[in-house]
């Protein structure tokens, strides 16, 4: 009997990303239809990452990746307050589609 396939980390795209970035993320992660139960969250400046969204994601959320330069839309205190006590990472990405895709993929892998 073959060994079961390992589960891939679940990533919720709270904001649209370019198609090529989504394809790359989908190759390595399970793209979640909602924040609940996600291990990673990808946002953009148009999406406020606040306590409400973080609470919706739940205690398994380990990485918040902002598909932008800067974190003005991220409540950093709330994002770093991990209810599971394991620590949570907040990352930002920018400057061109190739760099963003690879960076978003590597950040989500860190979860």
């Amino acid at each position: 009997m073959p060994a079961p396939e390992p589960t891939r980390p679940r990533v919720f795209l709270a904001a649209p990303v370019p198609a090529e970035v989504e394809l790359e993320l989908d190759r390595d992660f399970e793209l979640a239809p909602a924040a609940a139960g996600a291990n990673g969250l990808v946002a953009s400046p148009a999406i406020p990452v606040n306590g409400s969204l973080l609470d919706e994601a739940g205690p398994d959320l380990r990485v918040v990746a902002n598909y932008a330069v800067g974190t003005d839309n991220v409540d950093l205190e709330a994002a770093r307050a991990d209810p599971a006590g394991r620590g949570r990472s907040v990352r930002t990405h920018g400057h061109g589609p190739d760099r963003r895709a690879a960076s978003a993929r590597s950040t989500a892998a860190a979860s």
Side-chain angles (χ1 to χ4, degrees), residues 1 3 10 13 17-18 21-22 24 30-31 37-38 50-51 53-54 56-57 63 71 81-82 86 95 99-100:
M1 177 177 240
R10 293 172 45 86
L13 301 178
V17 295
V21 174
E22 187 170 343
E24 286 190 48
E30 177 185 342
L31 298 183
N50 54 28
L53 179 58
L54 297 165
E56 180 184 339
V63 174
T71 57
D82 177 13
R86 295 178 301 214
H95 307 301
R99 181 173 171 193
R100 287 188 295 243

Side-chain angles (χ1 to χ4, degrees), residues 1-8:
M1 177 177 240
E5 266 191 51
T7 57
R8 299 182 302 164

Side-chain angles (χ1 to χ4, degrees), residues 7-65:
T7 57
R8 299 182 302 164
R10 293 172 45 86
V11 173
F12 174 58
L13 301 178
V17 295
E20 64 271 10
V21 174
E22 187 170 343
L23 286 172
E24 286 190 48
L25 289 171
D26 189 43
R27 186 178 61 214
D28 296 325
F29 306 99
E30 177 185 342
L31 298 183
N39 306 111
L41 175 96
V42 178
S44 74
I47 304 296
V49 179
N50 54 28
S52 177
L53 179 58
L54 297 165
D55 288 346
E56 180 184 339
D60 291 332
L61 183 65
R62 299 291 310 251
V63 174
V64 175

